């Protein structure tokens, strides 16, 4: 007798539409650095665990390693906003455990800019010959 081979993926697990790359892009675009963490100059990684049911919905988000100062709450908010594809496993309701690490890195401060413009002015037509004109200086300072 010849046995048929089992498929490699015995159980289907919910996948994020577009894969890991799309999920990373979504997280980076929607991550809001908490003001309290910015004020206290907090950086680091928050590790979270969550479950995805067969319908692709997020359940039970738990922080495994947190930073505090609003970062943990932001990670929970982000994870709860994820939506996965459905995964049907022979009619059974299954739940998949996943972990996620999200890095919080302070944004780099932009250096202030100083711009200037030097424009030579022409002397008036009725000015004496010795006067050769002057300069107008425009200076602008932008603090970012």
């Amino acid at each position: 007798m010849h046995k048929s081979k089992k498929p490699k993926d015995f159980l289907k697990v919910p996948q994020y539409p577009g894969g890991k790359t799309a999920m990373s892009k979504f997280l980076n675009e929607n991550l809001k650095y908490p003001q309290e963490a910015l004020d206290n100059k907090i950086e680091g990684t928050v590790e979270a665990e969550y479950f995805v049911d067969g319908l692709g919905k997020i359940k039970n988000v738990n922080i495994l390693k947190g930073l505090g100062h609003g970062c943990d709450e932001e990670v929970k908010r982000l994870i709860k906003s994820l939506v996965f594809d459905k995964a049907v496993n022979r009619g059974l309701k299954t739940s998949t455990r996943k972990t996620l690490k999200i890095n919080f890195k302070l944004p780099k401060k932009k250096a202030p800019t100083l711009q200037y413009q030097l424009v030579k002015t022409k002397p008036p037509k009725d000015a004496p010959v010795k006067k050769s004109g002057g300069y107008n200086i425009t200076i602008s300072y932008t603090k970012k």
Side-chain angles (χ1 to χ4, degrees), residues 3-143:
K3 290 185 177 181
S4 62
K5 291 184 178 180
K6 290 183 180 179
K8 285 186 176 182
D9 296 329
F10 182 67
L11 289 176
K12 293 181 182 177
V13 294
Q15 297 292 324
Y16 189 80
K20 290 180 181 180
T21 309
M23 187 168 154
S24 293
K25 182 180 177 187
F26 173 81
L27 293 172
N28 287 333
E29 289 174 354
N30 292 291
L31 178 70
K32 295 177 184 167
Y33 217 110
Q35 188 61 46
E36 185 180 347
L38 284 172
D39 294 342
N40 292 302
K41 298 180 180 163
I42 301 296
E43 287 186 322
T45 302
V46 175
E47 186 175 355
E49 164 189 73
Y50 59 100
F51 293 87
V52 183
D53 67 10
L55 299 175
K57 295 181 181 174
I58 305 297
K59 306 285 182 188
N60 301 333
V61 180
N62 298 313
I63 301 297
L64 302 175
K65 179 187 163 204
L67 287 175
H69 300 283
C71 295
D72 302 348
E73 291 79 11
E74 177 62 13
V75 169
K76 282 184 178 184
R77 183 195 68 80
L78 267 177
I79 291 175
K80 287 179 182 178
S81 67
L82 295 172
V83 178
F84 286 76
D85 290 333
K86 295 178 183 178
V88 179
N89 287 302
R90 301 181 187 135
L92 300 173
K93 292 182 180 177
T94 58
S95 184
T96 306
R97 178 183 166 268
K98 295 186 176 272
T99 58
L100 182 66
K101 292 180 181 179
I102 296 181
N103 295 319
F104 285 87
K105 187 168 181 166
L106 290 169
K108 293 181 180 178
K109 290 184 179 179
K110 294 182 180 179
T113 58
L114 179 66
Q115 296 178 341
Y116 65 93
Q117 182 178 16
L118 186 64
V119 179
K120 187 172 183 178
T121 57
K122 294 181 181 179
K125 292 183 179 181
D126 59 343
V129 179
K130 292 185 179 180
K131 197 165 188 179
S132 62
Y135 292 93
N136 283 337
I137 300 174
T138 306
I139 299 174
S140 64
Y141 177 77
T142 308
K143 186 176 181 181

